[in-house]
Amino acid sequence: MSYTGGIRGLRQRFNERLEIGPGDRVLKQYKDRVAAVNVLEPNLRRANEEQLREGAAYLKQRVQSGAPAKTIIVELFALTREVARREVGMRPYDVQLIGGLGLAEGKIVQMETGEGKTLAAVSPVALQALTGLGAHVLTFNDYLARRDAEWMGPIYRYLGLTVGFVQEGMSRAERRKAYQADVTYLTAKEAGFDFLRDGLAYEVSELVQRPFQAAVVDEADSILIDEARVPLVIAGTAEREYGRQELMRTIVQQLQPGLHYAVDEYGRNVYLTEEGSIRAETILGCGDLYAPPNLQMLTELNLALHAEALMRRDVDYIVRHGRVEIVDDFTGRVVKDRHWPHGLQTAIEAKEGLCSSEDGRVLGSITLQHFLRRYPHLSGMTATAEPAADELFEFYDLELLVVPSNQPCIRVDHPDHVFPHREAK
């Protein structure tokens, strides 16, 4: 059977199994390459370990000699599939190859939960890592970063690539070693905070990261959209410039919600009403609270009000060992050594009756959206990208590729039932 004839026959069977119809124009562009990968599979299945390793070394040499990635993509995907079968006991399905091809092209790939996104990402990540410039896989939490690095690590190492992962609490030396690996698994936030810390370094030897090249973002809709506007902040400490937070806390306790202050409908802001301003001015005896000489006093009062009305103990923060520790909004985990800036930390400590001699000072800040756009090659994968497709394209210029499941879904999705109150439920 000729190479061309083999592709033609496999293409027909591939289209029939995926039921590609006239409207599935996007998927059609991948059928030739998937069929070509399938043609190479029998020969690779018969190859011994030495031959496979030599093939990987040859592809790496070609990429680092300047060959465009698209010229080796079929060979690499076929090789990675066979290595995955041997090393971790999993052979990527054709639909996983489609997902990997989409990631290699810099798209957001939507694959259903359980369809094997972790394995699908290995080939495109290896393709970027062969350049020697490093590739990052940005996971949702530390557990997944470590699990996936250890799980997929044997495949990368078989291909002649090194693998590392970054975890919260690692030393600078450990982080530098992880970033020097060809493939690094870590959370987007750890990568962002390391970027900010590198910006504060005085010596080149203090840097942990190297120039960014490529990143594949797991749970892309959550990280690229839901958390994109939340700023990552590096805060230092400074001597407190004022010590009236305890007084402001006492004043706030005398204010009544709804009468003296109001919270907006989304619970993100709180402000004094006219009655509240008059009440505070009477207690402080300061005259017009909004006069320029009283600006610092007004700021401290608003911080105390924010701490009282918006910050919830055991939800937004916990108190442990006499310290206020922040709880991450998205993961629910306590974040080590993070402080709220601009006096809010001090206000919360005053609320909890804790003593503090230091205040937070912002040393560096960046949103995930701006940080992730620093990667020249960015792609992502998730099971729920379609609702955010327009935003992903608008903010990151990333197109969406919806990959069908390997087997037809037999689950029946019933319409939602909404109960207006507990008794009805």
Side-chain angles (χ1 to χ4, degrees):
M1 181 174 66
S2 67
Y3 184 76
T4 305
I7 290 179
R8 189 178 299 115
L10 286 166
R11 178 192 307 167
Q12 182 178 354
R13 292 193 296 274
F14 179 61
N15 288 349
E16 289 173 354
R17 189 166 59 78
L18 288 182
E19 300 179 352
I20 293 179
D24 297 312
R25 302 296 181 189
V26 177
L27 285 176
K28 285 186 176 181
Q29 64 180 299
Y30 299 101
K31 64 180 180 247
D32 285 340
R33 281 175 288 175
V34 172
V37 170
N38 290 334
V39 166
L40 296 177
E41 186 172 20
N43 287 336
L44 291 171
R45 185 72 65 91
R46 291 190 294 268
N48 59 36
E49 180 176 337
E50 182 180 356
Q51 290 171 321
L52 290 183
R53 293 187 185 276
E54 287 178 354
Y58 171 67
L59 294 178
K60 186 175 184 179
Q61 184 272 328
R62 282 179 59 186
V63 170
Q64 296 190 357
S65 296
K70 64 182 180 181
T71 63
I72 70 156
I73 192 168
V74 169
E75 297 167 86
L76 179 64
F77 273 55
L79 179 61
T80 304
R81 170 189 263 181
E82 178 59 22
V83 172
R85 187 187 70 83
R86 297 188 186 191
E87 290 297 294
V88 298
M90 294 185 293
R91 173 191 175 276
Y93 295 114
D94 288 348
V95 291
Q96 288 173 294
L97 295 184
I98 291 179
L101 290 168
L103 293 173
E105 292 181 348
K107 296 185 185 301
I108 297 295
V109 173
Q110 177 171 299
M111 297 175 66
E112 295 293 332
T113 301
E115 288 294 298
K117 293 186 289 294
T118 302
L119 182 60
V122 172
S123 292
V125 170
L127 183 67
Q128 295 294 336
L130 287 176
T131 63
L133 301 177
H136 295 170
V137 182
L138 303 178
T139 63
F140 191 71
N141 57 45
D142 277 356
Y143 165 75
L144 292 175
R146 180 168 190 155
R147 185 205 69 175
D148 292 353
E150 294 175 344
W151 188 14
M152 299 292 110
I155 305 175
Y156 294 117
R157 285 188 283 272
Y158 200 109
L159 297 173
L161 301 170
T162 55
V163 187
F165 59 87
V166 175
Q167 303 275 275
E168 181 182 340
M170 275 187 169
S171 67
R172 181 176 295 171
E174 291 172 321
R175 290 171 181 269
R176 185 183 299 111
K177 181 179 179 181
Y179 283 115
Q180 289 300 313
D182 295 312
V183 179
T184 307
Y185 283 79
L186 72 164
T187 66
K189 287 186 177 181
E190 285 295 323
F193 280 121
D194 282 334
F195 170 76
L196 292 175
R197 282 188 283 264
D198 277 358
L200 302 175
Y202 290 100
E203 304 289 342
V204 174
S205 60
E206 297 177 357
L207 302 178
V208 298
Q209 292 180 333
R210 51 177 168 163
F212 298 136
Q213 190 225 175
V216 172
V217 183
D218 197 7
E219 301 295 345
D221 53 335
S222 176
I223 294 174
L224 295 177
I225 300 298
D226 298 342
E227 300 187 44
R229 301 296 182 88
V230 178
L232 306 177
V233 179
I234 290 289
T237 58
E239 289 297 319
R240 287 175 60 178
E241 298 177 358
Y242 46 85
R244 292 183 294 210
Q245 280 299 343
E246 292 78 9
L247 171 62
M248 297 303 171
R249 160 70 173 160
T250 302
I251 293 173
V252 165
Q253 288 179 316
Q254 300 179 51
L255 304 180
Q256 299 177 29
L259 175 62
H260 297 124
Y261 64 87
V263 178
D264 68 21
E265 60 178 316
Y266 299 107
R268 305 298 299 177
N269 193 24
V270 59
Y271 52 90
L272 290 170
T273 62
E274 184 175 353
E275 290 84 354
S277 298
I278 295 172
R279 175 68 171 163
E281 289 168 353
T282 301
I283 298 173
L284 290 169
C286 62
D288 184 2
L289 186 59
Y290 296 90
N294 294 327
L295 179 60
Q296 184 65 53
M297 191 179 299
L298 176 62
T299 299
E300 295 171 22
L301 181 59
N302 282 329
L303 286 169
L305 191 59
H306 186 113
E308 177 69 25
L310 302 182
M311 307 307 293
R312 298 159 296 172
R313 181 169 178 168
D314 296 331
V315 175
D316 300 301
Y317 65 92
I318 65 171
V319 177
R320 183 166 57 183
H321 307 309
R323 296 179 56 195
V324 169
E325 298 182 347
I326 297 175
V327 176
D328 187 280
D329 291 344
F330 294 95
T331 66
R333 295 174 179 268
V334 175
V335 185
K336 184 179 179 182
D337 296 330
R338 188 184 298 180
H339 295 79
W340 282 291
H342 307 307
L344 182 57
Q345 182 83 16
T346 306
I348 295 174
E349 289 168 348
K351 170 185 175 181
E352 298 297 337
L354 304 175
C355 297
S356 174
S357 59
E358 297 178 327
D359 198 6
R361 180 166 60 95
V362 174
L363 302 178
S365 176
I366 190 172
T367 63
L368 278 177
Q369 179 179 334
H370 287 90
F371 168 70
L372 292 171
R373 289 169 67 177
R374 301 182 70 88
Y375 286 92
H377 190 282
L378 182 66
S379 59
M381 52 189 183
T382 179
T384 54
E386 278 190 288
D390 291 340
E391 294 172 277
L392 290 166
F393 185 78
E394 178 183 354
F395 297 142
Y396 302 96
D397 199 26
L398 294 174
E399 295 180 352
L400 174 65
L401 171 65
V402 179
V403 180
S405 57
N406 185 55
Q407 297 290 338
C409 181
I410 62 174
R411 182 186 66 241
V412 177
D413 291 326
H414 296 288
D416 294 335
H417 287 272
V418 179
F419 300 96
H421 48 78
R422 185 176 297 274
E423 288 74 18
K425 179 180 179 181

